[in-house]
């Protein structure tokens, strides 16, 4: 510990103050040899944190949780959750800490949170630690999602700890510093509901309304409005995932936020060959969280949120259930609308083309992509070329190029806007083989491939010469991709 004055980081602790029943004050484990591997300087600046200071020993101490600013109350958060459909009454931050909240000049409050900072009372059998590879993976994929314009928690930094983490093999340990509008999850509400303390449930809902869905406060039924707002945020979020081929991989209720941010990048991956049954997670044997099941999984999770909120919706349980069902019905409508709007943009179709034309055209396309197992990112990007008259690169993506001709003719007759397409169809997404390559190099101490990958992914819509390999799918010898969570 240094004798220097504590770091100048004004961390508030409103979560711990408002909801002490969900917050266990706790401290990070010491890191024997902390080294900053990556820092998102622009995010630091957004948060009012000086990147130069964050690189100093005290700054790095903050990023691993060993230097705690005066007045901060780091806590492990309690939550419950359905994991692959089975209810676990107590999960909580087993290897994470909420350091506190940073409030910007506009009053926007954001959590500063650590993952991999040591065992907490919620650790169960876990070691409380995280390895460099998986923490960098979250850093890379969350950065890509943000650059794609998809709501997500952000990664501020990854610091290697100098501690060895034992998985199948010994690995270098790391802590990820993460920033989010909050870490409230569906599982937070399940936990509060299960305590039977309606006052706690109400305080949690009030906290969520004030932080994420303030308009609900003025509604006739604020808690029903909160449910509706979360349904809307998640419908929009999952539609955004679907439009870029993102597979979250572990959509348990403890991994679904109230804010509508993507959270917990574990066994996630970007789909290449289009197939709704795509699963990457090594533990998702039944494909519960397969690409094509994600909207249904989100809807299921939201039903769990609605159940948890029932006592706040109406004194009469029957009436509360009716209100909840009506609100949940909004999910499909909103998801379909968000997906259709997104597809219209991806296809570059002007507003005056009737939705009754766009929807079947999009459905026909997904069937063609599935039949040809076409790389989705390459397809939509190449399609802008087809709108400009260069159809060959698009045709060549299909094993039988003639299969898409009729579709292309009908689509081109609608007058697609190629430049508009280039603004919504990314050239660069985190290709699984490139992510693995960068993480393997970083684990061995070479950060250069990671730096290049981050640079490419930070501007996903701008095609740049010389970066062709970042735009191409994995070579066939990469094989079937498997991802692991909880590592
Ligand atoms: P996840 O699947 O990463 O969302 O984690 C599910 C639960 O397991 C959460 O309660 C985590 O805090 C906990 N957990 C995951 N990995 C570890 C670990 N290595 N040590 C302690 N708890 C963990
Ligand atoms: Mg989680």
């Amino acid at each position: 510990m240094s004798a220097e004055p504590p770091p100048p980081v004004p961390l508030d602790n409103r979560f711990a103050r408002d909801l002490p029943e969900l917050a266990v004050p706790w401290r990070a484990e010491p890191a024997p040899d902390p080294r900053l591997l990556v820092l998102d300087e622009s995010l630091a600046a957004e948060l009012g944190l000086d990147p130069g200071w964050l690189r100093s020993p005290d700054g790095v101490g903050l990023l691993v949780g060993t230097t705690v600013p005066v007045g901060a109350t780091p806590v492990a958060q309690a939550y419950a959750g359905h994991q692959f459909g089975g209810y676990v009454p107590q999960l909580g931050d087993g290897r994470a800490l909420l350091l506190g909240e940073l409030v910007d000049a506009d009053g926007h409050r954001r959590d500063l949170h650590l993952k991999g900072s040591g065992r907490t009372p919620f650790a169960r059998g876990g070691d409380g630690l995280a390895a460099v590879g998986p923490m960098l993976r979250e850093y890379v994929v969350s950065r890509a999602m943000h650059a794609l314009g998809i709501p997500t928690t952000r990664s501020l930094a990854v610091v290697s700890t100098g501690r060895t983490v034992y998985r199948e093999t010994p690995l270098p340990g790391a802590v990820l510093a993460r920033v989010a509008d909050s870490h409230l999850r569906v599982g937070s509400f399940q936990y509060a509901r299960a305590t039977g303390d309606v006052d706690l449930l109400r305080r949690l809902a009030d906290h969520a309304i004030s932080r994420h869905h303030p308009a609900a406060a003025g509604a006739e039924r604020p808690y029903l409005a909160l449910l509706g707002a979360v349904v809307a945020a998640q419908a929009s979020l999952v539609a955004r995932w679907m439009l870029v081929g993102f597979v979250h991989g572990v959509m348990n209720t403890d991994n679904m936020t109230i804010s509508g941010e993507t959270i917990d990048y574990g066994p996630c991956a970007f789909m290449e060959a289009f197939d709704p049954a795509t699963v990457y997670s090594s533990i998702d044997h039944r494909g519960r969280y397969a690409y094509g099941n994600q909207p249904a999984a989100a809807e299921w999770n939201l039903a769990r949120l609605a159940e948890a909120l029932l006592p706040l919706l109406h004194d009469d349980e029957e009436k509360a259930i009716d209100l909840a069902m009506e609100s949940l019905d909004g999910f499909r409508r909103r998801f379909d609308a968000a997906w259709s709007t997104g597809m219209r943009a991806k296809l570059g179709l002007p507003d005056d083309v009737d939705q009754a034309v766009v929807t079947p055209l999009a459905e026909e396309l997904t069937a063609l992509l599935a039949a040809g197992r076409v790389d989705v990112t390459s397809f939509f990007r190449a399609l802008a070329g087809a709108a400009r008259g260069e159809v060959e690169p698009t045709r060549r993506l299909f094993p039988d190029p003639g299969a898409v001709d009729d579709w292309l003719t009908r689509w081109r007759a609608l007058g697609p806007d190629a430049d508009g397409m280039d603004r919504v169809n990314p050239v660069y997404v985190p290709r699984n083989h490139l992510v693995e390559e960068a993480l393997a190099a970083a684990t061995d101490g070479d950060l250069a491939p990671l730096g290049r990958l981050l640079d490419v992914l930070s501007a996903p819509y701008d095609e740049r010469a010389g970066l062709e390999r970042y735009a191409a799918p994995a070579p066939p010898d990469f094989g079937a991709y498997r991802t692991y969570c909880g590592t």
Side-chain angles (χ1 to χ4, degrees):
M1 267 302 165
S2 75
E4 296 293 310
V9 179
L11 279 174
D12 195 12
N13 53 8
R14 182 169 158 205
F15 175 83
R17 280 200 320 274
D18 281 4
L19 301 156
E21 297 92 333
L22 305 183
V24 179
W26 203 254
R27 290 291 166 115
E29 274 174 22
D33 183 21
R35 284 169 202 268
L36 184 64
L37 299 182
V38 272
L39 173 69
D40 186 334
E41 299 213 349
S42 81
L43 175 59
E46 228 180 89
L47 295 167
L49 299 174
D50 173 9
W53 178 78
L54 283 173
R55 292 182 184 279
S56 74
D58 266 350
V60 173
L62 174 80
L63 294 171
V64 288
T66 50
T67 310
V68 176
V70 165
T73 315
V75 295
Q77 293 180 295
Y79 50 85
H82 275 89
Q83 298 195 306
F84 290 91
Y87 184 63
V88 184
Q90 184 172 295
L91 288 166
D93 288 335
R95 56 164 172 175
L97 286 179
L98 171 64
L99 285 183
E101 302 130 23
L102 291 158
V103 187
D104 69 16
D106 301 329
H108 183 193
R109 177 178 297 266
R110 294 209 269 185
D111 282 3
L112 180 58
H113 174 103
L114 304 179
K115 191 161 162 180
S117 49
R119 298 190 83 236
T120 76
F122 301 109
R124 297 175 288 161
D127 61 6
L129 303 176
V132 162
M135 295 306 99
L136 287 176
R137 199 157 189 284
E138 172 153 346
Y139 188 98
V140 171
V141 184
S142 62
R143 166 96 135 229
M145 293 289 266
H146 177 69
L148 288 165
I150 299 176
T152 177
T153 63
R154 309 275 302 274
S155 296
L156 177 61
V158 177
V159 178
S160 66
T161 57
R163 185 186 292 279
T164 301
V165 177
Y166 295 92
R167 298 294 181 251
E168 285 88 37
T169 52
L171 294 168
V175 173
L176 168 79
R178 172 161 95 181
V179 173
D181 279 350
S182 89
H183 285 76
L184 299 181
R185 310 134 193 272
V186 170
S188 313
F189 282 83
Q190 293 180 287
Y191 183 92
R193 172 74 201 270
T195 63
D197 179 348
V198 178
D199 173 63
L200 170 62
L201 185 64
R202 183 173 291 110
R203 273 184 288 124
L204 175 59
D206 289 339
H207 183 94
I209 288 174
S210 116
R211 284 184 76 170
H212 305 305
H213 305 292
E220 192 188 335
R221 294 181 177 279
Y223 304 117
L224 183 64
L226 169 64
L227 176 60
V230 181
V231 166
Q234 287 293 339
S236 155
L237 177 67
V238 177
R240 301 291 305 269
W241 292 355
M242 300 299 283
L243 291 162
V244 294
F246 177 74
V247 182
H248 182 282
V250 61
M251 292 176 70
N252 293 332
T253 57
D254 54 304
N255 291 339
M256 180 180 269
T257 57
I258 298 305
S259 63
E261 296 165 289
T262 310
I263 196 171
D264 271 358
Y265 293 86
C268 62
F270 277 72
M271 179 172 67
E272 296 200 330
F274 186 86
D275 178 1
T278 301
V279 173
Y280 295 102
S281 169
S282 60
I283 59 169
D284 192 0
H285 306 296
R286 296 178 168 199
R288 180 182 174 94
Y289 301 135
Y291 169 78
N293 288 348
Q294 295 187 117
E299 203 175 3
W300 192 91
N301 290 347
L302 291 164
R304 306 291 78 77
L305 175 64
E307 278 166 9
L309 286 171
L310 283 180
L312 303 182
L313 299 183
H314 203 287
D315 290 339
D316 176 338
E317 189 171 276
E318 289 297 309
K319 292 207 172 91
I321 291 172
D322 287 345
L323 290 169
M325 299 284 276
E326 206 177 297
S327 185
L328 290 167
D329 279 347
F331 181 86
R332 273 287 146 184
R333 203 169 13 86
R334 288 179 181 277
F335 174 83
D336 289 345
W339 192 83
S340 302
T341 306
M343 263 318 240
R344 176 188 287 275
K346 286 178 85 67
L347 295 174
L349 297 178
D351 291 343
D352 61 6
V353 176
D354 203 316
Q355 194 57 42
V357 174
V358 179
T359 302
L361 196 70
E363 282 168 1
E364 211 182 312
L365 174 63
T366 52
L368 287 168
L369 294 174
R373 296 191 59 80
V374 176
D375 179 70
V376 276
T377 305
S378 306
F379 172 82
F380 282 103
R381 193 66 188 197
L383 198 59
R388 297 185 179 102
E390 262 184 73
V391 292
E392 267 323 297
T394 301
R395 295 183 78 242
R396 276 203 302 270
L397 294 170
F398 290 78
D400 166 17
V404 72
D405 285 346
D406 176 53
W407 185 92
L408 281 174
T409 306
R410 282 181 284 132
W411 166 74
R412 287 187 66 197
L414 298 170
D417 163 20
D419 292 344
M421 292 171 72
D422 282 343
R423 288 191 292 272
V424 297
N425 292 314
V427 197
Y428 312 113
V429 295
R431 297 281 183 180
N432 306 318
H433 64 298
L434 299 176
V435 173
E436 291 305 319
E437 175 190 278
L439 301 191
T443 301
D444 288 342
D446 176 10
L447 292 169
L450 177 77
R452 284 194 293 273
L453 182 62
L454 287 169
D455 185 49
V456 172
L457 295 174
S458 297
Y461 301 105
D462 301 340
E463 189 162 7
R464 282 154 284 164
L467 298 182
E468 291 72 18
R469 89 181 267 270
Y470 293 92
D477 65 3
F478 185 63
Y481 188 48
R482 277 279 154 271
T483 54
Y484 302 89
C485 61
T487 49

